Structure formats: structure tokens, C-alpha cells
Amino acid sequence: MRIGVSGDIGSFSEEAGQIYAAKAHMSQHTLHYLIDMEGVLAALDREEIDVGIFPFVNYNSGIVWPAFTAMGRHSFMPIDDIQLNVEQCLIGFADTQISEITELYSYTPAFEQCKGFINQHGFKTIDWGDTAKAARDLSLGILPRKAAVVASAQAAKSYNLSVLKQGIQDIQPNITRFIVVKRGNS
């Protein structure tokens, strides 16, 4: 089974994909990292994946609007959903102090879940399209070294970064629902 997820390695969508594979008792599956919802649904249309998984609502920040925009352009059929408690972390290089950080890179829905923490520190937020992609790009030197990202602890681990502060979301639990879809005409 080919599972397309809307995120990079270390994303919450990757975690939702692994949960779905276990729930569906899939011993043989591959994850395809398609970064965004449009990428997932386009790959489903082209039959490059068998199912797609992406977030569509967070109980704190609300609807994930890019998901609904993409869903309006494609034919698909929902087959399941996964609820995931999303723990947002501030991630950077181990030698970076929080006081040195001025810019945060991530995905707008992640920023929406962490407004209190962001406002408290006065960070400038820059949408990077995916939490884990931001972590990857920080580790590769594409982003400024003294920047930080909002992403999962797994993203920090995947890209040899450090969790500078864990649990920065405004509420706990921070539940996000992910939809599992298949092609509309299959």
C-alpha cells in the first residue's frame, strides 16, 4: 500500500500515516512525502499513491484552510480519519538560546496553535509550508542558523536538531484530525 502524507519526514502527517497503517493492519506499506494537501490529492489523481492522509481540522486553531482549498479541486472519497494529539515544539540548533531567536519558520496552522508563546517572545513568523520541511531546511542551512521552527519532537530527531522548548501550543490536548482518502472513482 502506497500512503501519501502531506508533510516531510518527521511531520505529524507522517505519524498519522504510521497510525493508519497499523490500524489497517498493513504490514507492507510505503510512505510518500508530498509536503502539502494539493500534492497528496494530485498524486492520488495520478494513481501514484493508494491513499492520502492530511490534516483538516485542529480543535484549537480550527479548519486547515489549505486542505479545504485542495479538496475543492479533486475527486476523492473519505475512508477513515485519525485523531492525533499534536505537541508543538520550538526546534533549533543546540547552541541557540531562545533569546537569540527573532524568526520562526513553520506552517501557519502550527503558528495558530502557539499564539501565546509566539506573542510572549515577539517572534516574527514565516510560513514555510510544512513543519517538518522547515526543520529539514534549518538543518540544511537554507534557513538562518539563529532561526527556529515550530514542529514535532520527531522532526528535531529526524534532522539532528534540538528541542529548545517542548509543548508550546496554547492548549492541551491539542487534537488535530487527519482525513484518510482514496480516489473518488475507485
Side-chain angles (χ1 to χ4, degrees):
M1 173 77 61
R2 301 168 299 170
I3 301 171
V5 298
S6 64
D8 212 335
I9 293 167
S11 67
F12 295 111
S13 291
E14 176 188 52
E15 185 177 348
Q18 297 291 12
I19 290 168
Y20 176 71
K23 181 179 174 183
H25 305 291
M26 293 178 193
S27 57
Q28 299 285 0
H29 70 278
T30 56
L31 291 182
H32 297 252
Y33 301 93
L34 301 166
I35 306 303
D36 61 21
M37 296 79 171
E38 180 64 35
V40 170
L41 291 171
L44 197 61
D45 286 346
R46 293 188 304 268
E47 299 184 34
E48 296 170 357
I49 58 174
D50 301 304
V51 297
I53 299 175
F54 52 87
F56 68 97
V57 68
N58 174 274
Y59 292 175
N60 175 20
S61 60
I63 291 172
V64 179
W65 287 108
F68 281 81
T69 302
M71 289 190 289
R73 290 193 281 255
H74 298 273
S75 176
F76 63 91
M77 182 182 220
I79 56 171
D80 204 347
D81 73 297
I82 306 291
Q83 291 192 59
L84 184 61
N85 183 21
V86 170
E87 182 174 59
Q88 300 288 5
C89 299
L90 181 69
I91 296 170
F93 290 101
D95 62 351
T96 301
Q97 301 299 310
I98 293 176
S99 61
E100 298 174 305
I101 299 165
T102 58
E103 296 178 334
L104 292 184
Y105 292 80
S106 191
Y107 186 45
T108 297
F111 293 142
E112 290 294 317
Q113 296 164 31
C114 306
K115 284 182 190 176
F117 180 80
I118 292 168
N119 291 338
Q120 174 188 357
H121 293 280
F123 296 129
K124 176 183 176 185
T125 59
I126 300 155
D127 188 301
W128 207 247
D130 178 56
T131 60
K133 180 180 181 299
R136 176 177 47 95
D137 289 351
L138 179 62
S139 74
L140 293 173
I142 294 169
L143 301 179
R145 182 165 175 77
K146 292 295 182 181
V149 301
V150 176
S152 69
Q154 182 58 49
K157 189 175 188 179
S158 296
Y159 299 109
N160 296 314
L161 295 169
S162 294
V163 174
L164 304 176
K165 178 109 173 112
Q166 197 162 349
I168 64 170
Q169 68 277 354
D170 293 337
I171 64 169
Q172 185 64 280
N174 184 30
I175 304 296
T176 296
R177 289 184 72 179
F178 293 77
I179 189 168
V180 182
V181 299
K182 68 177 186 174
R183 282 178 49 92
N185 59 356
S186 53

